[in-house]
């Protein structure tokens, strides 16, 4: 009798994709030091920044904006262009919904100008017909908790003031922004940031004059705890994520002496759940991959939201690895872009 085939730790994928994933792991391992610091000089060499593009690429243009000059905090704004060729379908007179996006990288790596995230945000803008403000938040270990959450809320406050919005008259094809249809989104650590920024917004929503959060899109959010989950034990050797890497990243991000029961890591903790039960906390979409070692924490996160009476849509991709959506060659990545388009078009909505 033939024995059942044991599921591996990664789905079949093209060799080019495998090489890209291997390179991402090598970038992390080569630049993190045993003393808890990162070799930023080497990292900047291995992860060169892509400049913004006023000329549309694939129908989407981008420009860098200063969110807070005192920090300084910057962000990259992507917007579909009506006259950009390459598939641009925007209307420079029609206000666009806004997706405030936080990149992944374990709070410590990558940036809004990293090639993979520049391309991913460009795809989101094109598919969703939305402006995407990709926040270049400060990274750990130089800037630990709660700095990225502070930066995320600062980005929302920046958008709340219409005087900060670029105007088509001054900047060519930049359309007006409709911040009453605003979404927070991110992947991995960026999804963790999006969640905590949504909590902070919910606790202070009455202080916003114009901006309203319509939805939260958490793509494979980075949460954790002290115990090891079945998925973490089963998927040893999975692409991108490993327990030693995530342990290092939490140590680099959390306050000195804190463990993974801290509110930043553990969404079910009392402090971490504050604000979720507010009517201003938006409906959530949570993306989970079957080859992601973090999936059990993500499902617990969904249970926490539902336990607070919040609407949650779960998008399950059984054959998806962690960070699958930044690889457009995966069919799941293309499907997710279409789902995001529907979420934004539907205004978040109840699930």
């Amino acid at each position: 009798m033939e024995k059942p085939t044991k599921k591996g730790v990664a789905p079949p994928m093209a060799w080019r994709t495998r090489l890209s994933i291997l390179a991402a792991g090598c970038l992390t391992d080569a630049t993190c030091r045993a003393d808890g610091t990162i070799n930023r000089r080497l990292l900047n060499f291995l992860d060169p920044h892509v400049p913004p593009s006023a000329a549309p690429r694939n129908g989407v243009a981008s420009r860098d904006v200063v969110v807070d000059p005192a920090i300084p905090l910057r962000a990259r704004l992507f917007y579909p262009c009506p006259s950009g060729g390459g598939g641009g379908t925007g209307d420079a007179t029609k206000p666009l919904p806004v997706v405030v996006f936080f990149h992944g990288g374990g709070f410590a790596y990558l940036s809004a100008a990293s090639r993979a995230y520049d391309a991913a945000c460009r795809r989101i803008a094109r598919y969703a017909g939305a402006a995407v403000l990709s926040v270049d938040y400060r990274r750990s270990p130089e800037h630990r908790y709660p700095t990225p959450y502070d930066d995320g809320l600062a980005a929302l406050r920046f958008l709340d003031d219409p005087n900060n919005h670029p105007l088509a008259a001054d900047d060519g094809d930049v359309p007006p922004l409709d911040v009453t249809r605003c979404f927070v989104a991110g992947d991995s650590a960026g999804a963790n940031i999006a969640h905590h920024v949504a909590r902070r917004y919910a606790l202070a929503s009455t202080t916003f004059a114009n901006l309203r959060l319509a939805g939260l899109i958490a793509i494979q959010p980075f949460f954790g705890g002290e115990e090891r989950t079945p998925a973490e034990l089963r998927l040893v050797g999975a692409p991108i994520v490993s327990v030693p890497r995530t342990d290092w990243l939490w140590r680099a991000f959390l306050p000195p002496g804190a463990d993974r029961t801290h509110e930043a890591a553990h969404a079910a903790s009392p402090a971490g759940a504050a604000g979720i039960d507010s009517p201003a906390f938006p409906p959530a979409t949570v993306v989970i991959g079957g080859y992601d070692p973090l999936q059990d924490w993500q499902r617990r996160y969904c249970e926490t939201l539902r336990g607070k009476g919040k609407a949650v849509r779960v998008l399950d991709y059984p054959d998806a690895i962690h960070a699958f959506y930044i690889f457009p060659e995966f069919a799941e990545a293309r499907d997710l872009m279409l789902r995001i388009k529907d979420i934004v078009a539907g205004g978040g909505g109840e699930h």
Side-chain angles (χ1 to χ4, degrees):
M1 187 177 192
E2 185 178 353
K3 293 182 179 180
T5 302
K6 182 181 178 181
K7 186 176 180 179
V9 296
M13 62 185 84
W15 67 269
R16 290 180 185 272
T17 306
R18 288 186 179 277
L19 285 178
S20 296
I21 291 169
L22 179 63
C26 290
L27 180 147
T28 302
D29 295 339
T31 55
C32 69
R33 299 179 175 125
D35 65 358
T37 62
I38 287 177
N39 186 335
R40 289 287 175 201
R41 181 176 296 180
L42 177 59
L43 181 60
N44 291 338
F45 173 76
L46 296 174
D47 178 37
H49 288 182
V50 175
S53 175
R57 279 191 254 144
N58 295 323
V60 175
S62 62
R63 65 193 299 267
D64 287 343
V65 298
V66 178
V67 173
D68 187 339
I71 292 176
L73 176 62
R74 302 178 68 86
R76 180 160 294 181
L77 180 67
F78 299 84
Y79 48 94
C81 293
S83 58
T89 58
D91 178 349
T93 65
K94 182 180 179 181
L96 294 179
V98 183
V99 177
V100 180
F101 183 85
F102 303 96
H103 65 82
F107 306 105
Y109 290 92
L110 307 174
S111 74
S114 292
R115 185 175 300 278
Y117 283 107
D118 182 89
C121 289
R122 201 174 295 277
R123 288 195 297 273
I124 293 171
R126 185 172 71 251
Y127 273 86
V132 177
L133 186 73
S134 182
V135 183
D136 206 17
Y137 59 85
R138 290 169 287 175
R139 295 165 296 175
S140 62
E142 297 89 347
H143 303 281
R144 293 174 176 262
Y145 165 91
T147 302
Y149 306 158
D150 295 340
D151 290 350
L153 193 66
L156 295 191
R157 295 205 180 278
F158 172 84
L159 287 172
D160 190 49
D161 184 352
N163 292 323
N164 293 326
H165 298 183
L167 300 175
D170 299 326
D171 296 283
D173 287 333
V174 181
L177 307 179
D178 181 1
V179 296
T180 66
R181 295 184 293 157
C182 185
F183 298 78
V184 285
D187 75 301
S188 195
N192 174 299
I193 296 169
H195 162 75
H196 285 288
V197 169
R199 284 200 312 111
R200 289 179 168 215
Y201 165 83
L203 290 169
S205 62
T206 58
T207 66
F208 285 82
N210 301 295
L211 185 142
R212 297 292 180 269
L213 279 191
L216 162 63
I217 304 171
I219 304 171
Q220 300 176 290
F222 183 25
F223 292 112
E226 284 299 291
E227 75 271 26
R228 302 306 184 195
T229 68
E232 286 174 321
L233 297 173
R234 183 177 71 252
L235 293 171
V236 173
I240 306 292
V241 169
S242 71
V243 167
R245 284 176 186 160
T246 57
D247 284 356
W248 189 96
L249 291 166
W250 284 124
R251 287 194 301 271
F253 176 64
L254 295 175
D259 62 22
R260 294 184 298 276
T261 62
H262 187 274
E263 64 179 272
H266 208 57
S269 69
I276 294 176
D277 53 2
S278 166
F281 189 91
T285 297
V286 182
V287 179
I288 300 175
Y291 286 96
D292 185 354
L294 300 176
Q295 63 185 276
D296 292 337
W297 296 114
Q298 294 155 6
R299 296 188 194 282
R300 292 186 195 183
Y301 170 58
C302 295
E303 293 168 5
T304 297
L305 295 181
R306 287 176 174 142
K308 293 288 187 179
K310 307 311 295 186
V312 183
R313 175 195 286 117
V314 176
L315 300 180
D316 254 314
Y317 292 100
D319 292 328
I321 63 171
H322 191 78
F324 72 94
Y325 88 106
I326 65 172
F327 300 97
E329 59 267 33
F330 285 129
E332 293 88 349
R334 295 189 293 273
D335 181 80
L336 179 57
M337 289 296 143
L338 293 173
R339 299 294 191 99
I340 292 174
K341 174 184 177 181
D342 291 341
I343 292 165
V344 173
E350 293 296 323
H351 304 332

